[in-house]
C-alpha cells in the first residue's frame, strides 16, 4: 500500500466528500436502491456521483463504486482514472476493488467496513477471503479507511426499510 502525505486542507475535502457519499447511500435506500454511495474526485473537484442500483436496474454489477467509475470515465473522456480518488460510503467488495484497480484510481477512501455491511445483510466476507492472499502493501494504489461516527447511517436506513429487496 502506498502511503500518501495528506495536506492540511485535503482532510476537510475528504470528510466533506465522505459525508456526501454517506448521504448518497442513505438517499439511495429511500429511493429503492441499495445502501451504498460513491464519488470520484480529481484535483479537489467531484467529477462523478453514484449510488447502488443493483436491484433497481437488475444488474449485479451496478454497485455504487462501479457506477461512479463509469460516470467519471465518461465525464473525463478516458478509461484511466489516474490522479483520481474514489470515495465510498463502505469498504468496497472485491469486484469494486478490482474495478478501481483496473481504472487506475490513485486512492480509495471508505468509511463503513465489511463487518458493518454484514450486520445489515451484506455479508461478502467469503469473497474478501479470496483477496487476503496478497497483502495491500503490494497493491498499486493506496486503500485508506476514514472512520466517521455516522458511518452506518445508510445501513440503519436499509434495516428500517420494510419494503427492501434483500440480496
Amino acid at each position: 500500500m502506498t502511503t500518501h502525505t495528506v495536506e492540511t486542507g485535503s482532510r476537510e475535502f475528504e470528510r466533506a466528500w465522505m459525508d456526501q457519499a454517506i448521504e448518497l447511500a442513505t438517499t439511495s435506500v429511500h429511493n429503492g436502491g441499495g445502501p451504498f454511495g460513491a464519488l470520484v474526485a480529481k484535483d479537489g473537484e467531484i467529477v462523478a456521483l453514484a449510488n447502488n442500483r443493483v436491484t433497481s436496474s437488475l444488474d449485479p454489477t451496478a454497485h455504487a463504486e462501479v457506477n461512479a467509475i463509469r460516470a467519471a470515465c465518461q465525464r473525463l473522456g478516458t478509461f484511466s482514472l489516474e490522479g483520481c480518488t474514489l470515495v465510498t460510503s463502505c469498504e468496497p467488495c472485491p469486484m469494486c476493488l478490482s474495478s478501481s484497480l483496473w481504472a487506475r484510481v490513485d486512492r480509495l477512501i471508505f468509511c463503513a467496513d465489511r463487518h458493518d455491511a454484514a450486520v445489515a445483510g451484506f455479508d461478502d466476507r467469503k469473497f474478501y477471503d479470496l483477496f487476503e492472499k496478497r497483502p495491500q502493501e503490494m497493491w498499486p494504489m493506496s486503500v485508506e479507511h476514514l472512520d466517521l461516527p455516522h458511518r452506518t447511517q445508510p445501513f440503519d436506513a436499509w434495516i428500517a426499510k420494510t419494503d427492501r429487496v434483500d440480496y
Side-chain angles (χ1 to χ4, degrees), residues 112-129:
D113 65 21
R114 65 184 78 174
H115 308 292
D116 296 321
V119 169
F122 298 90
D123 191 356
D124 296 333
R125 288 178 284 200
K126 62 185 174 194
F127 301 133
Y128 287 105
D129 291 345

Side-chain angles (χ1 to χ4, degrees), residues 22-42:
I22 291 169
E23 186 58 35
L24 281 166
T26 304
T27 301
S28 178
V29 171
H30 297 303
N31 292 333
F36 303 92
L39 62 88
V40 174
K42 183 172 186 170

